[in-house]
PDB file of all heavy atoms in Angstrom:
ATOM      1  N   LEU A   4       3.280 -17.061 -40.583  1.00 98.00           N
ATOM      2  CA  LEU A   4       2.755 -17.652 -41.776  1.00 98.00           C
ATOM      3  C   LEU A   4       1.221 -17.384 -41.706  1.00 98.00           C
ATOM      4  O   LEU A   4       0.566 -17.872 -40.794  1.00 98.00           O
ATOM      5  CB  LEU A   4       2.956 -19.162 -41.883  1.00 98.00           C
ATOM      6  CG  LEU A   4       4.369 -19.653 -42.255  1.00 98.00           C
ATOM      7  CD1 LEU A   4       5.332 -19.441 -41.077  1.00 98.00           C
ATOM      8  CD2 LEU A   4       4.277 -21.173 -42.585  1.00 98.00           C
ATOM      9  N   GLY A   8      -7.749 -16.970 -48.275  1.00 98.00           N
ATOM     10  CA  GLY A   8      -8.348 -17.506 -49.488  1.00 98.00           C
ATOM     11  C   GLY A   8      -9.332 -18.602 -49.281  1.00 98.00           C
ATOM     12  O   GLY A   8      -9.977 -19.055 -50.246  1.00 98.00           O
ATOM     13  N   GLY A  10     -12.786 -20.543 -47.871  1.00 98.00           N
ATOM     14  CA  GLY A  10     -14.171 -20.177 -47.918  1.00 98.00           C
ATOM     15  C   GLY A  10     -15.053 -21.298 -48.312  1.00 98.00           C
ATOM     16  O   GLY A  10     -14.666 -22.439 -48.212  1.00 98.00           O
ATOM     17  N   LEU A  11     -16.243 -20.972 -48.706  1.00 98.00           N
ATOM     18  CA  LEU A  11     -17.252 -21.949 -49.115  1.00 98.00           C
ATOM     19  C   LEU A  11     -17.331 -21.959 -50.650  1.00 98.00           C
ATOM     20  O   LEU A  11     -17.304 -20.881 -51.342  1.00 98.00           O
ATOM     21  CB  LEU A  11     -18.624 -21.551 -48.578  1.00 98.00           C
ATOM     22  CG  LEU A  11     -18.962 -22.021 -47.178  1.00 98.00           C
ATOM     23  CD1 LEU A  11     -18.141 -21.334 -46.153  1.00 98.00           C
ATOM     24  CD2 LEU A  11     -20.442 -21.750 -46.873  1.00 98.00           C
ATOM     25  N   THR A  14     -19.150 -28.070 -55.099  1.00 98.00           N
ATOM     26  CA  THR A  14     -18.452 -29.161 -55.784  1.00 98.00           C
ATOM     27  C   THR A  14     -18.110 -28.789 -57.156  1.00 98.00           C
ATOM     28  O   THR A  14     -18.913 -28.255 -57.941  1.00 98.00           O
ATOM     29  CB  THR A  14     -19.209 -30.425 -55.725  1.00 98.00           C
ATOM     30  OG1 THR A  14     -19.478 -30.864 -54.383  1.00 98.00           O
ATOM     31  CG2 THR A  14     -18.561 -31.587 -56.497  1.00 98.00           C
ATOM     32  N   LEU A  20      -5.582 -20.477 -52.367  1.00 98.00           N
ATOM     33  CA  LEU A  20      -5.101 -20.148 -51.051  1.00 98.00           C
ATOM     34  C   LEU A  20      -3.735 -19.443 -51.170  1.00 98.00           C
ATOM     35  O   LEU A  20      -2.975 -19.682 -52.057  1.00 98.00           O
ATOM     36  CB  LEU A  20      -4.946 -21.355 -50.178  1.00 98.00           C
ATOM     37  CG  LEU A  20      -6.162 -22.340 -50.089  1.00 98.00           C
ATOM     38  CD1 LEU A  20      -5.850 -23.463 -49.119  1.00 98.00           C
ATOM     39  CD2 LEU A  20      -7.396 -21.583 -49.643  1.00 98.00           C
ATOM     40  N   GLY A  26       9.726 -13.169 -41.345  1.00 97.00           N
ATOM     41  CA  GLY A  26      10.497 -13.490 -40.165  1.00 97.00           C
ATOM     42  C   GLY A  26      11.559 -14.603 -40.372  1.00 97.00           C
ATOM     43  O   GLY A  26      12.199 -15.002 -39.394  1.00 97.00           O
ATOM     44  N   GLN A  39      -6.537 -30.628 -42.434  1.00 98.00           N
ATOM     45  CA  GLN A  39      -7.126 -31.503 -41.412  1.00 98.00           C
ATOM     46  C   GLN A  39      -8.623 -31.344 -41.395  1.00 98.00           C
ATOM     47  O   GLN A  39      -9.136 -30.231 -41.115  1.00 98.00           O
ATOM     48  CB  GLN A  39      -6.493 -31.251 -40.030  1.00 98.00           C
ATOM     49  CG  GLN A  39      -6.941 -32.178 -39.009  1.00 98.00           C
ATOM     50  CD  GLN A  39      -6.077 -32.133 -37.739  1.00 98.00           C
ATOM     51  OE1 GLN A  39      -5.514 -31.068 -37.401  1.00 98.00           O
ATOM     52  NE2 GLN A  39      -6.012 -33.212 -37.017  1.00 98.00           N
ATOM     53  N   CYS A  50       4.011 -29.298 -51.382  1.00 97.00           N
ATOM     54  CA  CYS A  50       5.085 -28.442 -50.882  1.00 97.00           C
ATOM     55  C   CYS A  50       5.942 -27.996 -52.070  1.00 97.00           C
ATOM     56  O   CYS A  50       5.904 -28.572 -53.152  1.00 97.00           O
ATOM     57  CB  CYS A  50       5.937 -29.123 -49.811  1.00 97.00           C
ATOM     58  SG  CYS A  50       6.951 -30.515 -50.430  1.00 97.00           S
ATOM     59  N   GLY A  54      12.799 -24.570 -55.839  1.00 91.00           N
ATOM     60  CA  GLY A  54      12.237 -24.416 -57.155  1.00 91.00           C
ATOM     61  C   GLY A  54      11.433 -25.585 -57.687  1.00 91.00           C
ATOM     62  O   GLY A  54      10.909 -25.570 -58.801  1.00 91.00           O
ATOM     63  N   LEU A  79      -1.748 -22.024 -53.219  1.00 98.00           N
ATOM     64  CA  LEU A  79      -2.241 -23.328 -53.639  1.00 98.00           C
ATOM     65  C   LEU A  79      -3.558 -23.140 -54.409  1.00 98.00           C
ATOM     66  O   LEU A  79      -4.566 -22.720 -53.823  1.00 98.00           O
ATOM     67  CB  LEU A  79      -2.557 -24.157 -52.339  1.00 98.00           C
ATOM     68  CG  LEU A  79      -3.077 -25.596 -52.633  1.00 98.00           C
ATOM     69  CD1 LEU A  79      -1.911 -26.448 -53.247  1.00 98.00           C
ATOM     70  CD2 LEU A  79      -3.584 -26.246 -51.363  1.00 98.00           C
ATOM     71  N   ASN A  82      -8.567 -26.731 -57.866  1.00 98.00           N
ATOM     72  CA  ASN A  82      -9.617 -26.852 -58.858  1.00 98.00           C
ATOM     73  C   ASN A  82     -10.384 -28.156 -58.669  1.00 98.00           C
ATOM     74  O   ASN A  82      -9.942 -29.080 -58.007  1.00 98.00           O
ATOM     75  CB  ASN A  82      -9.028 -26.779 -60.278  1.00 98.00           C
ATOM     76  CG  ASN A  82      -8.291 -25.483 -60.539  1.00 98.00           C
ATOM     77  OD1 ASN A  82      -8.705 -24.449 -60.118  1.00 98.00           O
ATOM     78  ND2 ASN A  82      -7.220 -25.623 -61.322  1.00 98.00           N
ATOM     79  N   GLU A  87     -14.884 -34.026 -50.028  1.00 96.00           N
ATOM     80  CA  GLU A  87     -13.852 -34.596 -49.177  1.00 96.00           C
ATOM     81  C   GLU A  87     -12.625 -33.692 -49.035  1.00 96.00           C
ATOM     82  O   GLU A  87     -11.681 -34.000 -48.262  1.00 96.00           O
ATOM     83  CB  GLU A  87     -13.381 -35.986 -49.685  1.00 96.00           C
ATOM     84  CG  GLU A  87     -13.018 -36.020 -51.195  1.00 96.00           C
ATOM     85  CD  GLU A  87     -14.155 -36.546 -52.032  1.00 96.00           C
ATOM     86  OE1 GLU A  87     -15.359 -36.089 -51.869  1.00 96.00           O
ATOM     87  OE2 GLU A  87     -13.920 -37.385 -52.925  1.00 96.00           O
ATOM     88  N   ARG A  98      12.827 -26.580 -42.653  1.00 97.00           N
ATOM     89  CA  ARG A  98      14.139 -26.097 -43.004  1.00 97.00           C
ATOM     90  C   ARG A  98      14.683 -26.676 -44.288  1.00 97.00           C
ATOM     91  O   ARG A  98      15.619 -26.128 -44.932  1.00 97.00           O
ATOM     92  CB  ARG A  98      15.145 -26.372 -41.848  1.00 97.00           C
ATOM     93  CG  ARG A  98      15.395 -27.851 -41.663  1.00 97.00           C
ATOM     94  CD  ARG A  98      16.063 -28.105 -40.303  1.00 97.00           C
ATOM     95  NE  ARG A  98      15.125 -27.942 -39.193  1.00 97.00           N
ATOM     96  CZ  ARG A  98      15.397 -28.144 -37.959  1.00 97.00           C
ATOM     97  NH1 ARG A  98      16.609 -28.499 -37.591  1.00 97.00           N
ATOM     98  NH2 ARG A  98      14.447 -28.027 -37.027  1.00 97.00           N
ATOM     99  N   TRP A 100      13.467 -29.758 -47.738  1.00 94.00           N
ATOM    100  CA  TRP A 100      12.527 -30.752 -48.188  1.00 94.00           C
ATOM    101  C   TRP A 100      12.771 -32.114 -47.506  1.00 94.00           C
ATOM    102  O   TRP A 100      11.825 -32.830 -47.213  1.00 94.00           O
ATOM    103  CB  TRP A 100      12.632 -30.918 -49.681  1.00 94.00           C
ATOM    104  CG  TRP A 100      11.457 -31.639 -50.319  1.00 94.00           C
ATOM    105  CD1 TRP A 100      10.239 -31.780 -49.794  1.00 94.00           C
ATOM    106  CD2 TRP A 100      11.474 -32.362 -51.560  1.00 94.00           C
ATOM    107  NE1 TRP A 100       9.425 -32.540 -50.636  1.00 94.00           N
ATOM    108  CE2 TRP A 100      10.163 -32.935 -51.694  1.00 94.00           C
ATOM    109  CE3 TRP A 100      12.447 -32.596 -52.508  1.00 94.00           C
ATOM    110  CZ2 TRP A 100       9.761 -33.669 -52.780  1.00 94.00           C
ATOM    111  CZ3 TRP A 100      12.040 -33.369 -53.620  1.00 94.00           C
ATOM    112  CH2 TRP A 100      10.747 -33.912 -53.815  1.00 94.00           C
ATOM    113  N   TRP A 103      10.965 -31.769 -44.388  1.00 96.00           N
ATOM    114  CA  TRP A 103       9.520 -31.809 -44.676  1.00 96.00           C
ATOM    115  C   TRP A 103       9.019 -33.242 -44.855  1.00 96.00           C
ATOM    116  O   TRP A 103       7.981 -33.614 -44.312  1.00 96.00           O
ATOM    117  CB  TRP A 103       9.216 -30.992 -45.918  1.00 96.00           C
ATOM    118  CG  TRP A 103       7.781 -31.050 -46.444  1.00 96.00           C
ATOM    119  CD1 TRP A 103       7.192 -32.091 -47.075  1.00 96.00           C
ATOM    120  CD2 TRP A 103       6.774 -30.056 -46.179  1.00 96.00           C
ATOM    121  NE1 TRP A 103       5.876 -31.793 -47.250  1.00 96.00           N
ATOM    122  CE2 TRP A 103       5.589 -30.595 -46.749  1.00 96.00           C
ATOM    123  CE3 TRP A 103       6.764 -28.786 -45.576  1.00 96.00           C
ATOM    124  CZ2 TRP A 103       4.422 -29.869 -46.734  1.00 96.00           C
ATOM    125  CZ3 TRP A 103       5.545 -28.110 -45.541  1.00 96.00           C
ATOM    126  CH2 TRP A 103       4.400 -28.608 -46.120  1.00 96.00           C
ATOM    127  N   ASN A 106       8.319 -35.022 -41.869  1.00 94.00           N
ATOM    128  CA  ASN A 106       7.253 -34.330 -41.077  1.00 94.00           C
ATOM    129  C   ASN A 106       7.850 -33.489 -39.945  1.00 94.00           C
ATOM    130  O   ASN A 106       7.185 -33.306 -38.879  1.00 94.00           O
ATOM    131  CB  ASN A 106       6.317 -35.380 -40.447  1.00 94.00           C
ATOM    132  CG  ASN A 106       4.835 -35.045 -40.688  1.00 94.00           C
ATOM    133  OD1 ASN A 106       4.496 -34.382 -41.698  1.00 94.00           O
ATOM    134  ND2 ASN A 106       4.028 -35.453 -39.790  1.00 94.00           N
ATOM    135  N   TYR A 110       7.588 -24.206 -38.658  1.00 98.00           N
ATOM    136  CA  TYR A 110       6.595 -23.113 -38.495  1.00 98.00           C
ATOM    137  C   TYR A 110       5.300 -23.514 -39.069  1.00 98.00           C
ATOM    138  O   TYR A 110       5.208 -24.130 -40.149  1.00 98.00           O
ATOM    139  CB  TYR A 110       7.111 -21.832 -39.179  1.00 98.00           C
ATOM    140  CG  TYR A 110       8.513 -21.447 -38.762  1.00 98.00           C
ATOM    141  CD1 TYR A 110       9.496 -21.286 -39.760  1.00 98.00           C
ATOM    142  CD2 TYR A 110       8.856 -21.176 -37.431  1.00 98.00           C
ATOM    143  CE1 TYR A 110      10.750 -20.934 -39.390  1.00 98.00           C
ATOM    144  CE2 TYR A 110      10.134 -20.811 -37.106  1.00 98.00           C
ATOM    145  CZ  TYR A 110      11.098 -20.679 -38.074  1.00 98.00           C
ATOM    146  OH  TYR A 110      12.377 -20.310 -37.709  1.00 98.00           O
ATOM    147  N   TRP A 111       4.207 -23.131 -38.342  1.00 98.00           N
ATOM    148  CA  TRP A 111       2.843 -23.354 -38.788  1.00 98.00           C
ATOM    149  C   TRP A 111       2.069 -22.072 -38.876  1.00 98.00           C
ATOM    150  O   TRP A 111       2.219 -21.182 -38.018  1.00 98.00           O
ATOM    151  CB  TRP A 111       2.118 -24.289 -37.839  1.00 98.00           C
ATOM    152  CG  TRP A 111       2.633 -25.726 -37.794  1.00 98.00           C
ATOM    153  CD1 TRP A 111       3.507 -26.243 -36.989  1.00 98.00           C
ATOM    154  CD2 TRP A 111       2.158 -26.754 -38.669  1.00 98.00           C
ATOM    155  NE1 TRP A 111       3.694 -27.592 -37.232  1.00 98.00           N
ATOM    156  CE2 TRP A 111       2.852 -27.949 -38.270  1.00 98.00           C
ATOM    157  CE3 TRP A 111       1.253 -26.860 -39.703  1.00 98.00           C
ATOM    158  CZ2 TRP A 111       2.666 -29.167 -38.894  1.00 98.00           C
ATOM    159  CZ3 TRP A 111       1.052 -28.055 -40.309  1.00 98.00           C
ATOM    160  CH2 TRP A 111       1.760 -29.213 -39.921  1.00 98.00           C
TER     161      TRP A 111
END
Side-chain angles (χ1 to χ4, degrees):
L4 285 72
L11 276 66
T14 297
L20 308 184
Q39 188 167 25
C50 68
L79 185 69
N82 299 322
E87 52 262 46
R98 68 195 73 177
W100 194 25
W103 176 282
N106 230 30
Y110 309 120
W111 290 95

